[in-house]
Amino acid sequence: MATAAAHRTAGAPAYGAPHADPDGDARQRAFDAAVAADERVEPRDWMPDAYRATLVRQIAQHAHSEIIGMQPEANWITRAPSLRRKAILMAKVQDEAGHGLYLYSAAETLGVSRDELLDKLHSGRQKYSSIFNYPTLTWADVGAIGWLVDGAAITNQVPLCRCSYGPYARAMVRVCKEESFHQRQGYELLLALSRGTPEQHAMAQDAVDRWWWPSLMMFGPPDDASQHSAQSMAWKIKRHSNDELRQRFVDICVPQAESLGLTLPDPDLKWNEEHGRHDFGAIDWTEFWDVLKGNGPCNEQRLTQRRRAHDEGAWVREAAAAHAAKHAAKHTGKHTGPTGVEQA
Ligand code: FAQ
């Protein structure tokens, strides 16, 4: 670890302990210097409370998005049109669960528990991505999610591999590799439909028509309405603004849509020679804020299903905890009863 970080780590308080910090200014300066030098902040390093809170907020939302995001596609596992498609889709949905686990683990390094975060998700006190409040009406939606939603996720998450907080940045490296496979499978699925019968082509086009605008909203509100961006960029949690990443995504998608033989549903989408990018039409931000308030087509369904899955999984968590306790007892020589409680 480089000098500035080593300085910050020396004498760092344990989690849960009050920050006895007689030399707060020096620690703040060392933190600022480490961020400026592009060093990684690690869990036991001193960090400003607001930096920690921002990371917990963003990583938790991200984790929640991954596990809620399993639902729209899982809706099609039993109806996949072939064994090959079913196997691919099952693997993808399982990957999303894995991403959730990496991210909850990254959040836990900041001193919060997974139970606490899940409780906030279930009670609506923490958000998940707006995109997962839209329904998957046809098989083509699985392709549109892979191509557009995973494509947007990669565009947003590749820069997060350079996030200043080490555990989040490292989790993103593996997540991005897996998301690339997801994006490719979505593209390939849509290509097969687009080149299929006229009905299949129309189904692919309809899915793209419905998922295009919500995918652009995934990047968050426009920069002038993004309350967290400036501070998150100063801390190098975010490396680019919401609008910068949205623009990058549009520029990537236009030639891909052409290769797919599909049209992006925006009459104002055109190449701007002067600025070297595509201009695109106005996003309906009223719809975005409405979905965030809980009024999207599937908000209620997603949360109800999530709470039910959590309740139905209680016995699995109990069994896993009992198994872990038994395993730990074997190594420490202590004995535990069936509930994992230590016994004399
Ligand atoms: N949905 O000030 P900003 C995936 C909220 S993973 C809901 O700009 P920030 C993989 C924001 O939280 C998709 N809420 O906020 C997959 C804040 O509210 P708060 C998830 C949104 O944090 C694929 C308020 O608006 N990806 O798809 C959204 O600087 C397929 C003001 O916004 C991540 O989470 C939204 N779209 O920037 C899984 C990536 N946008 O918290 C399954 C990491 C904004 O004050 C299948 N996160 N808000 O109550 C980020 O990069 C950032 O958090 C942003 C938002 C860019 C999303």
Side-chain angles (χ1 to χ4, degrees), residues 57 61 127 130 156 179 218 220 226-228 238 242:
R57 178 185 64 78
Q61 278 184 19
K127 296 188 170 76
S130 50
N156 169 272
E179 300 288 28
M218 278 177 75
S226 168
Q227 67 201 80
H228 303 295
K238 285 167 88 163
N242 298 354

Side-chain angles (χ1 to χ4, degrees), residues 57-59 61-63 65-70 73 92 96 99 127-132 145-146 149-150 152-153 156-157 160 168 179 182 214 217-222 225-229 232 238 242 245 288-289 292:
R57 178 185 64 78
Q58 178 166 328
I59 299 173
Q61 278 184 19
H62 195 164
S65 305
E66 299 283 357
I67 62 165
I68 295 264
M70 296 166 72
E73 288 174 288
K92 180 186 189 297
E96 309 300 359
H99 297 174
K127 296 188 170 76
Y128 59 89
S129 181
S130 50
I131 193 76
F132 300 118
I145 290 182
V149 176
D150 285 281
N156 169 272
Q157 288 167 27
L160 290 175
Y168 191 28
E179 300 288 28
H182 298 169
M217 294 175 197
M218 278 177 75
F219 293 91
S226 168
Q227 67 201 80
H228 303 295
S229 278
S232 288
K238 285 167 88 163
N242 298 354
L245 292 175
F288 172 76
W289 294 117
L292 258 60

Side-chain angles (χ1 to χ4, degrees), residues 140 143-144 147 186-195 204 208 260 262:
W147 177 43
Y187 181 90
E188 195 263 341
L189 195 165
L190 280 181
L191 189 64
L193 289 176
S194 178
R195 291 180 176 171
V208 169
L260 281 170
L262 298 171

Side-chain angles (χ1 to χ4, degrees), residues 12-141:
Y15 282 124
H19 284 205
D21 189 11
D23 198 10
D25 288 350
R27 288 187 165 199
Q28 178 72 52
R29 278 197 301 278
F31 170 85
D32 292 342
V35 170
D38 267 335
E39 286 173 13
R40 289 273 158 81
V41 178
E42 296 297 340
R44 291 186 62 78
D45 293 341
W46 182 88
M47 62 188 83
D49 289 343
Y51 176 82
R52 187 187 298 274
T54 292
L55 281 167
V56 169
R57 178 185 64 78
Q58 178 166 328
I59 299 173
Q61 278 184 19
H62 195 164
H64 299 331
S65 305
E66 299 283 357
I67 62 165
I68 295 264
M70 296 166 72
Q71 293 184 34
E73 288 174 288
N75 179 34
W76 281 92
I77 290 176
T78 54
R79 291 172 290 165
S82 70
L83 183 60
R84 177 175 166 267
R85 293 287 181 200
K86 188 193 282 257
I88 293 171
L89 184 55
M90 281 171 64
K92 180 186 189 297
V93 172
Q94 282 180 350
D95 282 354
E96 309 300 359
H99 297 174
L101 294 183
Y102 311 152
L103 286 159
Y104 285 120
S105 298
E108 281 174 322
T109 66
L110 292 157
V112 288
S113 75
R114 193 174 305 195
D115 284 348
E116 188 184 333
L117 298 179
L118 285 172
D119 189 47
K120 286 188 171 156
L121 169 65
H122 298 154
S123 58
R125 284 174 292 151
Q126 278 179 345
K127 296 188 170 76
Y128 59 89
S129 181
S130 50
I131 193 76
F132 300 118
N133 292 307
Y134 293 86
T136 41
L137 303 179
T138 71
W139 169 250
D141 288 26

